[in-house]
Amino acid sequence: MSTDFFYSVRMRASAGTKHLSGAEHLVSCNDVVKTVYKLAERAMTKGTSPDKIIITVESLQSFKKIRHIHALDVLAFGGMDITACRAAATQALLSANISKTALDAAFGFLDHGAAPSGGNMRGAIIMDAETGARLEPDPERGVRVSRVDWSENIISELEQKLASLGLIHFRTREALALATKVAHAQNILAELCWSDDHDYVAGYVSSRRMGYLRLPVMKHEGIPLGGRVFFINGKASDISSLIHFLEKEPVIITDLGIFHKINRLSDLNIDHV
Ligand code: WAQ
Ligand code: MG
């Protein structure tokens, strides 16, 4: 697909210093105005009235091609408590060649607030999958994934398939898009994530090979901490092109994977992960 007529339309709403909502779509020039309206509406209907809404429209003309990718398969765990979810996450990540040292470091950061000043980062940690060293240039901010969107043609099927697994929150759709882009980066072996919202305890572990393992309880209710860790096996010298891909290069998800429900850890056939 030519990108001559593609734009990124991004919205950020805030009240004082508090971030209220944000979203981004990649659309053809014909849909820019419609999308600006849609995002303004979303900003205005989130409960708290924003002091400020910033909508940015950027041409993607400098990118010769928009990359089209397939969504990760979704494997949704049900009926599991925090201990079982974390055990499943650990087992899956070990099988993706993340070391125990790196895993312990990653869980520690997400449990205690990954920003050096305390609290959540806005973006993600990039971690050496072997040593657990943090490689993101700005550990306070982290790396912000953007420029990824669902093709309009598959949105309704996506929503239907997620709903068939009982997943109806917009967060799942957005996290699956983000995880799909991340899993397509060179050097990234896997991702670990859970929400920083105190009333949203779900998270996931993902990679291109194992898909999106949706874990319903990755932390205790009421904890306002979470984050994302991208585990890499590359050298520090590759970091800037990795960050460029994650933050800047446009990617559209044009096809869906399979959607499965999993009820026990043993249903996850780790040999095939
Ligand atoms: N790029 C990189 N990291 C990000 C981004 C981004 N665009 N957005 C958020 N983060 C990091 C940041 O450290 C946040 O503190 C953390 O991730 C969590 O963000 O139902 O809601 O938006 O299947 O709270 C996962 C389960 C929910 C969804 C994830 O994340 C499901 C979620 P939140
Ligand atoms: Mg959040």
Side-chain angles (χ1 to χ4, degrees), residues 121 123 143-145 171-172 195-197 200 212 214 227-228:
M121 297 162 70
V143 173
R144 293 276 303 170
V145 178
R171 282 173 189 283
T172 309
S195 175
D196 56 21
D197 291 60
Y200 201 84
Y212 181 91
R214 205 262 179 185
R228 284 185 156 89

Side-chain angles (χ1 to χ4, degrees), residues 177-190:
L178 190 152
T180 294
K181 182 175 184 187
V182 170
H184 282 75
Q186 266 184 359
N187 298 351
I188 294 189
L189 291 177

